[in-house]
Amino acid sequence: MRARDITPTTPGERRNRPAQVSGWFLIGVVAALASFGTFLGWLYAPFFLTVAVVCSIGAIVAGHVGRARRYRAGRSQALACIVLAWLGLAVSALAVLVHLGVLVGFAALFG
């Protein structure tokens, strides 16, 4: 027997429970990491940028829902998910501007 099992508890005493992780947090982290993982392959830039933007928006929504839940254990993790998602959107916007700049530069050079 463990010491915890033989220790009597009073009605007002709370036992330690394992931390609960929100499913929304897990969805948001997967989406945020997927938005960064899409930048590894630039075979077809519009497809990867579209996937990155969709994943980032999904991570932002899941992170906000996760923070709205009442779990203390997942609130800071959900905030990290939201920050990663906004960072992913910023990198996506910068990549779109670079992509358009390259296209306009080639059009001006060879046009």
Side-chain angles (χ1 to χ4, degrees):
M1 266 203 272
R2 296 181 297 195
R4 185 172 120 185
D5 293 335
I6 60 174
T7 307
T9 58
T10 59
E13 183 180 349
R14 294 181 56 183
R15 289 184 176 223
N16 288 335
R17 293 180 302 187
Q20 295 178 351
V21 177
S22 172
W24 288 102
F25 161 71
L26 294 176
I27 292 170
V29 166
V30 168
L33 292 178
S35 72
F36 281 107
T38 55
F39 290 110
L40 298 177
W42 278 88
L43 300 175
Y44 184 63
F47 171 74
F48 287 107
L49 285 173
T50 304
V51 170
V53 168
V54 168
C55 287
S56 293
I57 291 172
I60 289 170
V61 170
H64 281 292
V65 170
R67 276 192 55 89
R69 301 291 171 137
R70 297 293 181 219
Y71 298 124
R72 286 185 180 172
R75 288 178 60 84
S76 60
Q77 296 163 344
L79 179 62
C81 174
I82 293 168
V83 170
L84 277 176
W86 279 109
L87 188 62
L89 275 179
V91 170
S92 297
L94 182 65
V96 166
L97 290 176
V98 167
H99 190 72
L100 290 177
V102 167
L103 289 177
V104 168
F106 279 140
L109 186 64
F110 298 116

